[in-house]
Amino acid sequence: QVQLVESGGGLAQAGESLRLSCAASGRTFSNYAMAWFRQAPGKEREFVAHITFTGGSTFYADSVKGRFTISRDNAKNTVYLQMNSLKPEDTAVYYCAAALYYRRSSYFLEEEYGHWGQGTQVTVSS
């Protein structure tokens, strides 16, 4: 297994930026595809972004396209989520997830990811 620890969450005002980090340990990080999900109070957990194990391809939820960027630094065993132009509706607990094997057509599904971090809170005020 791989262990994941998120950091970088906090409070921001609308229009500001935050960068989340997810540090991995326990297995070879570069072998895992990575993703970010989020869950707002009273809502279902939703897909945010995905990056392949090489970092060659990325995918985003429509709600964050053009504002969020997922990236990874395999030398540091870390995946990032750069969040720009934050909106109050971005307020949620953000979770990092890792998949050693997954269906390429299902990168947005929670069940494709076998490893999860504990989450980091992001709060955006208007």
Side-chain angles (χ1 to χ4, degrees), residues 3-122:
Q3 292 76 49
L4 307 174
V5 179
E6 303 97 332
S7 63
L11 193 150
Q13 292 183 292
E16 294 183 342
S17 299
L18 287 173
R19 188 179 76 162
L20 306 183
S21 298
C22 175
S25 63
R27 290 291 187 273
T28 303
F29 176 73
S30 61
N31 289 343
Y32 290 83
M34 304 294 296
W36 289 95
F37 288 76
R38 67 186 182 186
Q39 187 168 23
K43 296 185 178 180
E44 299 291 329
R45 187 176 297 181
E46 65 175 346
F47 168 77
V48 176
H50 171 99
I51 188 166
T52 56
F53 66 88
T54 63
S57 296
T58 58
F59 303 90
Y60 299 92
D62 288 341
S63 60
V64 306
K65 282 182 179 177
R67 299 189 298 119
F68 291 9
T69 302
I70 187 171
S71 62
R72 67 191 298 161
D73 186 340
N74 288 346
K76 297 181 179 179
N77 291 347
T78 302
V79 63
Y80 304 96
L81 185 68
Q82 179 67 45
M83 305 185 294
N84 297 328
S85 302
L86 284 165
K87 303 176 180 179
E89 51 262 45
D90 295 320
T91 296
V93 176
Y94 284 72
Y95 297 91
C96 178
L100 184 59
Y101 303 103
Y102 69 100
R103 294 171 292 179
R104 295 179 67 186
S105 61
S106 304
Y107 61 86
F108 54 91
L109 298 177
E110 295 180 47
E111 54 262 41
E112 297 301 301
Y113 301 88
H115 309 282
W116 294 81
Q118 295 301 304
T120 185
Q121 177 70 48
V122 172

